[in-house]
Amino acid sequence: MCGILAVLGCADWSQAKRARVLSCSRRLKHRGPDWSGLYQCEGNFLAQQRLAIVSPLSGDQPLYNEDRTVIVVANGEIYNHKKIRKQFASKHTFSTGSDCEVIIPLYEEYGENFVDMLDGVFAFVLYDTRTKTYMAARDAIGVNPLYIGKGSDGAVWISSEMKALNEDCVKFEIFPPGHLYSSAAGGLRRWYNPHWFAENVPATPYQPLVLREAFEKAVIKRLMTDVPFGVLLSGGLDSSLVASVTKRHLIETEAAEKFGTELHSFVVGLEGSPDLKAAREVADYLGTIHHEFHFTVQDGIDAIEEVIYHDETYDVTTIRASTPMFLMARKIKALGVKMVLSGEGSDELLGGYLYFHFAPNKEEFHKETCRKVKALHQYDCLRANKATSAWGLEVRVPFLDKEFINVAMSMDPEWKMYNPDLGRIEKWVLRKAFDDEQQPYLPKHILYRQKEQFSDGVGYNWIDGLKAFTEQQVSDEMMQNAAKVYPHNTPINKEAYYYRMIFERLFPQEPARETVPWGPSIACSTPAAIEWVEQWKASNDPSGRLIASHNSVSANHANGNGHGNGNGHANGNGVVVANGTNGAAANGITNGKMEE
């Protein structure tokens, strides 16, 4: 990933303004430590901080057309760039090996109506000196972050992260996924218009081989790299399938010619955590070169302020899950790896979270998957991208491939639903698609392992330790006055209050706090799904451990590989009513150091 900043239509063209833009751009240097560039034409500035993954020797930005009248800065990976290069070989002279350079000939051929032709993830800004117009666009789901704001002089600011524009804009917001901004048209418009956006229930029958093929293609295209890479492997279904498909097809890729066919895998967790054991087993089965990183609760607590600075959120679940990932990313980058594949997106597309067990019908199930996918840019995409980009590490997410999304969201949701009478647990459609008796992708008990939230899978004591720590940092009196201090998105527990205090210190502007989503949640549900079960409305803890089906109902359909967590008992409605959160981790919360 890279970092981009564009300031367009400034009234001030001075050297002082150029210096200010450079200073703001440098706040994104963690995203792109390999190179930086700045283009200026009168009051228009395009800056980029580069992380070199494809064509590291020739892809520095900004990028230009032949006569340097069209300029682009981009943060992206365009997986079909070679096909596009062939299309324009006789019309356009390419000056770099950058995959993002194809944006220029597409624009020159089709104007602004080309964005859907890009297969990949991206955030870019293009300036045309001939018409003195510009456009910006963000990928379909919002895998790559982007913000847009307006300065006091009316200039438009566009940045990969909020920290590069929040001090210079009178208002700013998230640049919505699947949209483009056109100065010529005078605003935003949606370029990504898939059939599922209307939330109408699809009727296409489940075709396991079609689902499998779409995912394998999504993984293979993401092996486009000119630098060493690996896979994040928690041992759960999603990351294990990413690793398995990568291992199976790596030999067919150009990456194998450059770096060999050995695959590196990485996991992080507290000592004795569920993920460490499961990941080790999958790594042994696949034959990866496996790296296991340990952290303590105190390591995580010490990193929280940095995590909030990089993630730019105060969402509790995001911070819980980002912290171990943030620590792991630093260790991965220290090993010389610059890109990893990860398993985000599957649970949203296929209804993999445990609360989906309680969907009252397939219509509600499908609407919830639509809501979850539409919100990914504020949660899992934000976490995966920013927690790793903090250390100049790029994460690629094959489950969020456009074609795989089309296949998954076109399926009759009846097939996705939890149905114990038919032996279907969560994400049964994905498990069945890769349940190959002749050439198995994974052992059965891994293929049917139950879902863990990432923040739980790294070790249950991580959450309990966070709660114990924040309990000491926030007084009862502070909580009583929470609505007065934070009238917008008022924290409902001490952990949320603690994160909010840090966020407000780092990002004190009103528009900043409005970029963070808020509302009740159980096990990553949207607020709308809270209505499915009456007792969920009384909870203020988003952990997946509150769902009683965890290691109880579902365990009977996952070859008995569940593990108990001792976090309360379930009533007849399938809701945990006594969640034990007292005390910190038994593995120690002081003086611990993260180690490999």
Side-chain angles (χ1 to χ4, degrees):
M1 294 299 164
C2 305
I4 63 170
L5 172 65
V7 186
L8 302 145
C10 290
D12 180 3
W13 308 352
S14 68
Q15 178 60 32
K17 187 66 175 184
R18 181 182 177 95
R20 177 59 184 169
V21 173
L22 279 169
S23 176
C24 292
S25 175
R26 291 187 186 111
R27 296 179 187 177
L28 305 174
K29 190 177 287 186
H30 54 276
R31 298 185 62 86
D34 297 333
W35 191 251
S36 61
L38 173 64
Y39 167 85
Q40 179 184 0
C41 176
E42 298 178 340
N44 302 288
F45 303 83
L46 277 71
Q48 199 240 21
Q49 303 287 337
R50 187 186 184 206
L51 179 67
I53 302 292
V54 174
S55 188
L57 297 180
S58 72
D60 293 340
Q61 297 189 31
L63 301 166
Y64 302 88
N65 66 347
E66 292 91 337
D67 61 4
R68 299 174 76 87
T69 56
V70 177
I71 304 93
V72 168
V73 288
N75 166 30
E77 299 296 339
I78 310 302
Y79 300 119
N80 62 338
H81 78 105
K82 290 186 177 180
K83 180 180 178 181
I84 297 173
R85 281 175 177 268
K86 289 180 181 178
Q87 176 185 346
F88 290 99
S90 61
K91 300 180 181 179
H92 179 84
T93 302
F94 291 92
S95 59
T96 77
S98 170
D99 50 298
C100 291
E101 190 178 352
V102 299
I103 292 170
I104 293 172
L106 284 171
Y107 168 76
E108 292 184 314
E109 182 77 13
Y110 302 105
E112 294 177 344
N113 301 313
F114 69 89
V115 183
D116 200 26
M117 301 175 191
L118 299 172
D119 182 6
V121 295
F122 49 81
F124 70 83
V125 179
L126 179 151
Y127 182 70
D128 189 333
T129 63
R130 299 165 299 189
T131 58
K132 294 189 176 181
T133 59
Y134 57 88
M135 66 171 291
R138 188 178 183 189
D139 66 73
I141 302 300
V143 173
N144 287 9
L146 200 63
Y147 295 81
I148 184 168
K150 186 157 286 190
S152 59
D153 62 350
V156 173
W157 291 62
I158 300 171
S159 174
S160 293
E161 294 185 4
M162 186 167 62
K163 59 182 64 66
L165 56 71
N166 63 310
E167 294 178 357
D168 292 79
C169 291
V170 293
K171 59 180 180 179
F172 54 89
E173 61 187 3
I174 292 172
F175 191 112
H179 281 70
L180 68 84
Y181 181 91
S182 167
S183 67
L188 286 159
R189 72 173 185 269
R190 173 170 286 283
W191 65 263
Y192 180 57
N193 295 289
H195 58 85
W196 58 268
F197 244 70
E199 300 184 6
N200 297 321
V201 179
T204 304
Y206 169 52
Q207 298 173 287
L209 293 182
V210 172
L211 190 69
R212 183 203 293 186
E213 181 180 351
F215 182 66
E216 290 193 303
K217 287 181 178 178
V219 172
I220 292 167
K221 71 176 67 169
R222 281 161 178 78
L223 301 181
M224 177 186 80
T225 178
D226 293 323
V227 298
F229 74 99
V231 294
L232 303 186
L233 179 61
S234 70
L237 174 67
D238 305 332
S239 65
S240 297
L241 284 177
V242 171
S244 178
V245 173
T246 301
K247 181 69 174 176
R248 181 169 295 203
H249 293 285
L250 180 57
I251 195 171
E252 307 161 9
T253 67
E254 292 181 10
E257 298 175 9
K258 301 167 187 171
F259 307 111
T261 57
E262 296 284 5
L263 179 64
H264 289 261
S265 58
F266 308 95
V267 67
V268 65
L270 302 179
E271 288 279 4
S273 68
D275 282 358
L276 295 183
K277 180 181 177 182
R280 195 177 308 118
E281 186 175 5
V282 175
D284 289 345
Y285 178 82
L286 297 177
T288 66
I289 300 173
H290 192 55
H291 307 268
E292 185 176 288
F293 305 128
H294 301 160
F295 77 105
T296 68
V297 174
Q298 189 62 50
D299 290 329
I301 289 170
D302 291 342
I304 283 175
E305 182 160 340
E306 281 188 281
V307 169
I308 293 173
Y309 172 76
H310 284 288
D311 276 12
E312 302 176 323
T313 188
Y314 47 85
D315 175 68
V316 171
T317 300
T318 301
I319 295 167
R320 287 176 174 182
S322 290
T323 304
M325 199 171 199
F326 173 84
L327 296 171
M328 175 172 57
R330 186 176 191 179
K331 299 288 281 188
I332 293 173
K333 187 63 182 293
L335 294 175
V337 172
K338 295 177 72 173
M339 185 273 282
V340 289
L341 275 69
S342 189
E344 281 75 15
S346 170
D347 291 310
E348 288 76 11
L349 291 165
L350 302 175
Y353 292 111
L354 298 180
Y355 75 89
F356 274 96
H357 290 192
F358 300 92
N361 51 57
K362 71 177 185 179
E363 289 79 15
E364 280 298 309
F365 187 103
H366 180 68
K367 287 180 181 178
E368 178 69 359
T369 60
C370 293
R371 291 189 292 260
K372 289 293 293 179
V373 176
K374 290 175 183 178
L376 266 168
H377 68 286
Q378 294 180 295
Y379 295 101
D380 285 28
C381 288
L382 179 151
R383 166 185 54 78
N385 184 285
K386 291 184 178 179
T388 54
S389 292
W391 301 108
L393 178 69
E394 176 174 303
V395 167
R396 296 182 179 176
V397 283
F399 280 110
L400 295 179
D401 179 82
K402 269 199 303 184
E403 182 54 36
F404 183 80
I405 291 172
N406 288 339
V407 172
M409 296 300 282
S410 297
M411 187 191 311
D412 185 337
E414 188 74 38
W415 290 94
K416 299 180 184 179
M417 293 184 71
Y418 169 75
N419 190 329
D421 294 334
L422 296 176
R424 296 179 188 171
I425 64 171
E426 66 277 352
K427 290 187 292 193
W428 176 85
V429 291
L430 184 64
R431 302 175 197 272
K432 186 65 176 176
F434 284 91
D435 194 350
D436 189 327
E437 297 285 351
Q438 303 302 316
Q439 294 180 301
Y441 287 79
L442 294 168
K444 289 275 190 181
H445 63 283
I446 293 292
L447 192 61
Y448 290 92
R449 183 192 181 205
Q450 192 183 44
K451 166 71 181 172
E452 294 276 7
Q453 289 195 117
F454 180 76
S455 52
D456 282 343
V458 298
Y460 294 130
N461 286 333
W462 166 232
I463 304 303
D464 296 340
L466 275 177
K467 290 180 178 180
F469 171 76
T470 55
E471 181 75 26
Q472 298 168 355
Q473 307 305 310
V474 179
S475 68
D476 292 341
E477 183 180 1
M478 292 165 74
M479 285 304 303
Q480 290 170 4
N481 293 315
K484 295 179 181 178
V485 178
Y486 302 119
H488 179 78
N489 291 350
T490 303
I492 59 174
N493 57 47
K494 292 185 177 182
E495 186 182 359
Y497 194 107
Y498 180 73
Y499 300 155
R500 184 63 174 275
M501 287 193 300
I502 296 172
F503 180 90
E504 293 285 343
R505 186 171 70 251
L506 296 170
F507 306 104
Q509 300 83 10
E510 180 68 28
R513 63 183 68 102
E514 293 176 353
T515 64
V516 180
W518 202 248
S521 177
I522 289 289
C524 297
S525 75
T526 68
I530 294 288
E531 299 299 319
W532 294 350
V533 177
E534 184 65 29
Q535 286 85 347
W536 289 356
K537 300 175 187 179
S539 172
N540 66 1
D541 184 347
S543 174
R545 290 177 285 168
L546 291 174
I547 304 297
S549 55
H550 198 285
N551 305 311
S552 55
V553 180
S554 291
N556 296 326
H557 306 280
N559 295 337
N561 71 312
H563 54 268
N565 58 44
N567 284 290
H569 62 273
N571 63 18
N573 295 297
V575 182
V576 172
V577 296
N579 185 44
T581 58
N582 296 324
N587 65 307
I589 60 169
T590 58
N591 301 322
K593 297 297 180 185
M594 183 176 163
E595 58 187 22
E596 183 173 353

